[in-house]
Amino acid sequence: NLVLEVCGAANDAECELLASAAVAKARELEKAAFSSDFDPPGRARLPSVRAARRAALTNTPCADPLPAEADAVAEAIFKRVLELIDREMPSVVSTLFAFSSNSTLLGMHENDELEFTRREPAINVYDAGGVFTPHKDHQTLTVLLSLTPPSNFTGGGTGFWKRHAPAACVEVRPKAGTALLFGGDLTHAGLAVESGTRCVYVASFSAQGGREMRVKAAAGSRDIYGDLV
């Protein structure tokens, strides 16, 4: 039930570059407020280059990936967050990734020992009406990085639920560049954007192995747009 906030995970220039690239790609998909064959109206998911390649291997419907420059920046930020976790929160690795042969999250990532939710890492773009309904990620860890300041949109933000609670107990709208870290059993949602545009980078992942168990757990709780199942 813990959500950790990492301030300054990305700088303003990085956030602006990623948000601009993602919105431009989302506009290419647009069929009435970002509606496409891949996402519901009001939301578009732009995968990283690696995520798009993995999707192609499994015949998973997927939008074209982020441009190379934006992809490189997103990858650098993700590695920065992993390094921070390794350095400042070593218990995360020792308790949640204990069965991996690698002692660091960055090492796991660089050796392709992390398994991501399909089409992730990615940037989600929310336009007016865009929402991601309450769900659990069913991965070991999720990194959710805000790319647009709250002043860019109304509504929106991320809601978190306590167990069995009927409504969100906490709603957060972090400043651009702030990352949220939380576990895969925590119910959360991308709250509906009323106006403007919101962009977030998301990566949900586990150490390789145990996918069948996660899929079984996810089958009863993921929302209709869940990618894991």
Side-chain angles (χ1 to χ4, degrees):
N1 294 319
L2 183 66
V3 180
L4 301 178
E5 186 179 68
V6 180
C7 299
N11 61 43
D12 290 344
E14 291 170 329
C15 291
E16 291 172 7
L17 185 151
L18 291 180
S20 296
V23 169
K25 294 294 288 185
R27 296 297 183 196
E28 293 176 10
L29 294 172
E30 188 169 9
K31 298 176 186 174
F34 294 164
S35 178
S36 72
D37 295 335
F38 316 113
D39 297 288
R43 193 185 84 217
R45 172 166 288 193
L46 292 311
S48 68
V49 172
R50 281 185 174 184
R53 287 173 181 165
R54 288 193 297 268
L57 291 174
T58 58
N59 295 316
T60 299
C62 188
D64 290 336
L66 293 166
E69 181 184 7
D71 184 76
V73 170
E75 176 70 3
I77 295 170
F78 183 58
K79 287 183 176 180
R80 187 184 307 155
V81 173
L82 295 184
E83 286 180 313
L84 183 145
I85 295 171
D86 288 334
R87 182 178 67 252
E88 304 291 342
M89 298 171 256
S91 61
V92 170
V93 182
S94 62
T95 57
L96 301 181
F97 296 84
F99 57 89
S100 171
S101 60
N102 205 303
S103 60
T104 67
L105 285 179
L106 182 60
M108 291 180 215
H109 179 53
E110 291 181 334
N111 291 328
D112 290 324
E113 295 174 5
L114 294 179
E115 184 175 279
F116 293 85
T117 293
R118 291 177 183 174
R119 300 193 299 160
E120 292 185 13
I123 295 177
N124 286 346
V125 179
Y126 296 85
D127 205 23
V131 63
F132 205 123
T133 55
H135 63 285
K136 298 178 180 180
D137 290 333
H138 289 292
Q139 296 283 14
T140 303
L141 196 64
T142 291
V143 174
L144 187 68
L145 172 69
S146 296
L147 299 176
T148 43
S151 58
N152 278 29
F153 55 89
T154 60
T158 304
F160 293 95
W161 276 249
K162 290 184 178 179
R163 292 183 187 276
H164 309 301
C169 299
V170 177
E171 297 181 7
V172 294
R173 295 171 179 80
K175 64 181 294 185
T178 298
L180 302 178
L181 310 178
F182 52 92
D185 287 331
L186 186 59
T187 299
H188 61 286
L191 304 175
V193 169
E194 297 170 1
S195 64
T197 302
R198 177 190 180 218
C199 299
V200 294
Y201 170 90
V202 58
S204 303
F205 56 93
S206 302
Q208 284 185 348
R211 179 176 174 78
E212 290 184 4
M213 182 174 63
R214 291 195 300 275
V215 169
K216 183 177 180 180
S221 63
R222 281 301 291 267
D223 68 284
I224 61 173
Y225 304 125
D227 285 319
L228 184 62
V229 177

